[in-house]
Amino acid sequence: MRIKINENFGNIKESYLFSDIASRVKAYEASNPDAKIIRMGIGDVTLPLPEPVVSALHKASDEMGKKESFRGYPPEYGYAFLRDSISTHYAVLGVSVDPSSIFVSDGAKSDLGNIVDILGDNQIVIPDPVYPVYVDSNIMSGHNITFINGNRDNGFLPSPSELSDKNIDGAVIYLCSPNNPTGAAYDRNGLSEWVDFAMKTGSLIIYDSAYEAFISDDNIPHTIYEIPDAYECAVEICSFSKFAGFTGLRCGWTVIPSTVKAGGHELSALWKRRQATKFNGVSYPVQRAAEAALTDEGIKALNANIEYYKKNASLIAKLLDSKSIFYTGGKNSPYIWLECPGGQNSWDFFDRLLHEAQIVGTPGEGFGKGGESYFRLTAFGSYEATLEAVERLEALLG
Ligand code: PLP
């Protein structure tokens, strides 16, 4: 063919992370068939959906099977019942988000990847290490990226001071808090610094709050709109995946307040246009399930699941504390990000953990250069498996 392709795809670093992990585990299993491997690399939930969510799914599916209650295409931006429930969820968090600023989607990953459609060729600022979607979606659009380094000194929470030698003017800044992979979360002061910086430099913050439900410290904001100026400079993208176990059902949302404006346009108007053109909405049963997740009954059941994962995280954190190993996360997050003991690089530590303790984690290198000597463990496994993993780790670390 003589068509042209998007040459920017050639600039995306091929990620072999999860296939490399799988092939190393497979090789180990082949030569150690009796080994009881504990998987702590997964970023996926494992607990089933709670009863209120499942009932809502059943009920909505039944409605779809009856002539009088059948529904066809859903509204592109989400059913009013769900946009209202999400707005109420924000009210409970103490902030006002109008339902008309809320756009329901099939998950945060789609929105994070698609938001570049409505933005031009801006300076892009992304922390390193971080969830890889921000980087790859901008490379696909041919954008240049300025990385800001997370490291031990700043607790993997880079601040605007990392940009003091750059001339930032109208940048798009990605922030993820609590962070994947580091589990670190900005407190109110840290997040305010970013909002102030965005206001001063005419920048937009794209705030990924997918792990908001794991926050338990009072000084950590659940939403960027706890910082009032964020209504003028921030878009927030969130998800039912980790909060409600929807990784398989698929539902998320994006908030774009009408006060976020650039180039003479409300960004929400551009997003509406983009979504109405390229997206046909989330299925009715899934939106009813999401609505059920936000009822008092749903939240109660989901909080129990989150507490279960957090108990796992605290087991791991306690062990690392006792061994004086530096780590972030483990408290307001299902992730624990630890410095590889003995100065090992992340792949060497991966092999050591697999071969000597039969534990699988994720080498930090997969999340950016700043992760080369770090390692991610997740708390999404069962309590029993986590307990056993901690015992094995204790023996390994001596
Ligand atoms: N944002 C972060 C930081 C994530 O870690 C993930 C998934 O792991 C997502 C977004 C994707 O969320 P969703 O399942 O809603 O697409």
Side-chain angles (χ1 to χ4, degrees):
M1 281 198 290
R2 285 187 294 280
I3 62 152
K4 295 188 185 83
I5 59 158
N6 181 346
E7 299 288 350
N8 295 319
F9 275 66
N11 298 326
I12 300 171
K13 224 173 105 215
E14 233 14 279
S15 174
Y16 301 110
L17 178 70
F18 289 102
S19 58
D20 269 4
I21 292 175
S23 64
R24 288 184 197 214
V25 174
K26 203 169 152 208
Y28 180 78
E29 277 177 320
S31 43
N32 301 275
D34 297 328
K36 197 174 148 231
I37 292 178
I38 302 178
R39 290 166 206 277
M40 299 176 84
I42 43 162
D44 199 351
V45 292
T46 54
L47 292 173
L49 295 167
E51 196 281 325
V53 171
V54 176
S55 305
L57 267 178
H58 281 299
K59 186 164 169 275
S61 305
D62 288 342
E63 285 176 45
M64 294 293 270
K66 293 192 191 99
K67 189 158 178 38
E68 58 281 13
S69 49
F70 169 77
R71 303 199 186 212
Y73 286 120
E76 289 105 341
Y77 315 134
Y79 281 107
F81 63 76
L82 183 55
R83 298 172 91 189
D84 288 347
S85 295
I86 296 170
S87 172
T88 304
H89 168 70
Y90 278 106
V92 172
L93 295 178
V95 302
S96 166
V97 173
D98 195 82
S100 65
S101 318
I102 296 167
F103 301 92
V104 174
S105 74
D106 63 348
K109 190 179 199 173
S110 310
D111 290 354
L112 288 160
N114 293 332
I115 196 98
V116 289
D117 278 5
I118 65 165
L119 303 171
D121 190 4
N122 296 293
Q123 272 181 306
I124 306 292
V125 174
I126 302 183
D128 173 1
V130 87
Y131 181 57
V133 174
Y134 321 146
V135 175
D136 290 348
S137 56
N138 277 288
I139 293 178
M140 283 174 192
S141 297
H143 298 161
N144 282 322
I145 300 170
T146 301
F147 288 101
I148 40 172
N149 297 322
N151 50 45
R152 188 172 169 153
D153 291 343
N154 60 27
F156 287 92
L157 292 169
S159 73
S161 64
E162 308 281 332
L163 294 165
S164 54
D165 60 337
K166 307 266 184 322
N167 178 25
I168 299 294
D169 183 25
V172 176
I173 302 164
Y174 287 77
L175 297 177
C176 176
S177 177
N179 187 279
N180 177 14
T182 69
Y186 286 103
D187 64 14
R188 212 157 268 112
N189 286 341
L191 197 53
S192 296
E193 275 187 49
W194 276 114
V195 171
D196 292 348
F197 180 78
M199 292 297 285
K200 209 170 66 202
T201 58
S203 299
L204 171 73
I205 295 175
I206 297 183
Y207 190 70
D208 182 345
S209 60
Y211 296 92
E212 167 271 312
F214 287 82
I215 295 171
S216 41
D217 286 356
D218 288 343
N219 62 341
I220 296 181
H222 286 258
T223 157
I224 196 164
Y225 302 113
E226 286 185 38
I227 320 293
D229 280 347
Y231 285 97
E232 283 180 43
C233 66
V235 165
E236 179 163 294
I237 298 182
C238 198
S239 171
F240 285 90
S241 282
K242 310 297 158 92
F243 143 63
F246 273 47
T247 53
L249 275 188
R250 312 300 311 136
C251 197
W253 73 88
T254 286
V255 176
I256 312 184
S258 57
T259 35
V260 176
K261 295 178 188 166
H265 293 276
E266 289 181 12
L267 286 196
S268 62
L270 303 184
W271 186 244
K272 276 185 184 168
R273 186 78 176 122
R274 190 262 167 224
Q275 291 298 79
T277 303
K278 296 192 183 181
F279 182 61
N280 247 345
V282 177
S283 78
Y284 175 67
V286 168
Q287 291 198 54
R288 280 294 185 199
E291 179 193 31
L294 292 172
T295 58
D296 289 346
E297 230 191 329
I299 300 248
K300 200 167 151 222
L302 294 168
N303 279 345
N305 289 0
I306 286 169
E307 285 313 313
Y308 179 93
Y309 296 133
K310 284 178 72 164
K311 197 166 149 199
N312 290 346
S314 70
L315 282 179
I316 306 167
K318 218 161 113 193
L319 171 77
L320 298 176
D321 281 334
S322 75
K323 302 285 175 197
S324 303
I325 292 175
F326 173 82
Y327 68 94
T328 51
K331 186 149 187 234
N332 299 291
S333 160
Y335 298 124
I336 291 107
W337 177 252
L338 60 127
E339 192 166 40
C340 298
Q344 275 191 304
N345 79 38
S346 62
W347 274 112
D348 289 345
F349 185 62
F350 173 90
D351 286 333
R352 181 170 165 220
L353 215 52
L354 174 62
H355 288 257
E356 295 177 30
Q358 294 75 50
I359 294 171
V360 179
T362 313
E365 199 189 302
F367 301 98
K369 254 182 99 51
E372 270 167 9
S373 51
Y374 286 84
F375 203 75
R376 191 189 76 175
L377 292 173
T378 78
F380 286 126
S382 73
Y383 177 70
E384 294 71 25
T386 308
L387 203 58
E388 176 154 0
V390 165
E391 279 166 19
R392 291 188 198 174
L393 263 174
E394 176 146 36
L396 177 90
L397 297 170

